[in-house]
């Protein structure tokens, strides 16, 4: 599901608040925190966090939102860690996980989302710290640079490389929202870069959908332009 990670730099730590991510690109239905404690998500709720075709207009969905329970001995494919001990912290504690994926022609640009759900915020926070060691820094590609995500979620980091696993520009972002850790990646076989503002908007969309689900709402956040 998406690019094969990146490694090294600690994510920016932040407080919960409104998601700011390119107002021209983003429509957040029901946006804004109400102080409600983030709840653990069941499998169906975790699946609702994942963007579908309506949430990202202009992209063709080729993997529908799908979430499953982890299988003992087979950690989620998107759960990566630098050591076996850290893998147990981040991956053995997952309660459900899954993703959705999209493509945009003519240069076969891909857009991937994934979600890892945990039983509480403390467990999700510890998992984020492990996962960002793997997915942060320059693992997305050599000489990666940071992509600013604004005040999205509780923790966040994104990086971009001129040459990723598909041969063209690539990004990977990771965000923690309450009891979930979320991932977003883009890649292309061509030379057209997915702008930083769009990466920020994609991250804000899935982050807001996670906030909505944990507040007992039906996730409805979507990108309003492309």
């Amino acid at each position: 599901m998406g690019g094969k990670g990146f490694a090294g730099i600690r994510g920016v730590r932040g407080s919960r608040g409104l998601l700011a991510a390119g107002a021209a690109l983003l429509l957040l239905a029901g946006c804004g925190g109400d102080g409600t404690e983030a709840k653990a998500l069941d499998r169906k709720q975790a699946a609702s966090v994942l963007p579908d075709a309506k949430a990202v207009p202009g992209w063709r969905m080729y993997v529908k939102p799908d979430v499953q329970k982890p299988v003992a001995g087979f950690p989620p494919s998107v759960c990566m860690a630098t050591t076996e001990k850290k893998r147990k912290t981040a991956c053995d504690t997952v309660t459900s996980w899954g993703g959705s994926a999209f493509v945009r022609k003519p240069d076969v640009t891909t857009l991937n989302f994934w979600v890892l759900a945990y039983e509480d915020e403390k467990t999700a926070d510890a998992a984020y710290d492990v996962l960002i060691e793997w997915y942060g820094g320059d693992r997305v590609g050599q000489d990666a640079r940071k992509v600013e995500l604004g005040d999205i979620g509780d923790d966040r980091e994104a990086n971009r490389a001129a040459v990723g696993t598909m041969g063209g520009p690539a990004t990977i972002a990771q965000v923690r929202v309450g009891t979930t850790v979320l991932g977003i990646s883009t890649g292309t076989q061509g030379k057209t870069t997915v702008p930083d503002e769009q990466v920020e908007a994609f991250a804000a969309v899935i982050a807001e959908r996670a906030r909505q689900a944990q507040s007992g709402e039906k996730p409805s956040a979507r990108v309003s332009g492309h």
Side-chain angles (χ1 to χ4, degrees), residues 32-39 41 209-217:
D34 57 6
T36 303
E37 182 180 356
K39 298 179 181 179
L41 301 181
R209 292 175 71 91
R211 186 205 65 78
Q212 290 173 325
Q214 291 173 54
S215 297
E217 306 169 36

Side-chain angles (χ1 to χ4, degrees), residues 11 16 49 102 134 223:
R16 188 183 303 274
V49 169
F102 304 81
W134 180 272
V223 175

Side-chain angles (χ1 to χ4, degrees), residues 116-140:
L116 294 161
Y118 296 89
E119 63 181 2
D120 54 39
E121 291 193 57
K122 182 179 180 180
T123 307
D125 186 35
Y128 176 91
D129 291 344
V130 169
L131 292 164
I132 204 60
E133 287 183 355
W134 180 272
Y135 282 113
D138 63 358
R139 187 175 288 272
V140 66

Side-chain angles (χ1 to χ4, degrees), residues 194-208:
V194 176
D196 288 3
E197 292 79 8
Q198 287 191 22
V199 174
E200 184 182 3
F202 295 143
V205 162
I206 192 171
E208 174 63 6

Side-chain angles (χ1 to χ4, degrees), residues 129-200:
D129 291 344
V130 169
L131 292 164
I132 204 60
E133 287 183 355
W134 180 272
Y135 282 113
D138 63 358
R139 187 175 288 272
V140 66
Q142 192 172 10
D143 299 322
R145 66 168 178 80
K146 282 186 176 294
V147 175
E148 293 301 324
L149 295 180
D151 188 22
I152 295 174
D154 300 295
D155 304 281
R156 85 291 296 168
E157 182 176 321
N159 291 271
R160 172 189 300 286
V163 180
T165 56
M166 294 177 66
T171 63
I172 302 182
Q174 182 170 282
V175 181
R176 182 179 72 84
V177 177
T179 61
T180 61
V181 178
L182 314 164
I184 309 96
S185 71
T186 69
T188 182
Q189 296 177 4
K191 297 181 179 180
T192 303
T193 299
V194 176
D196 288 3
E197 292 79 8
Q198 287 191 22
V199 174
E200 184 182 3

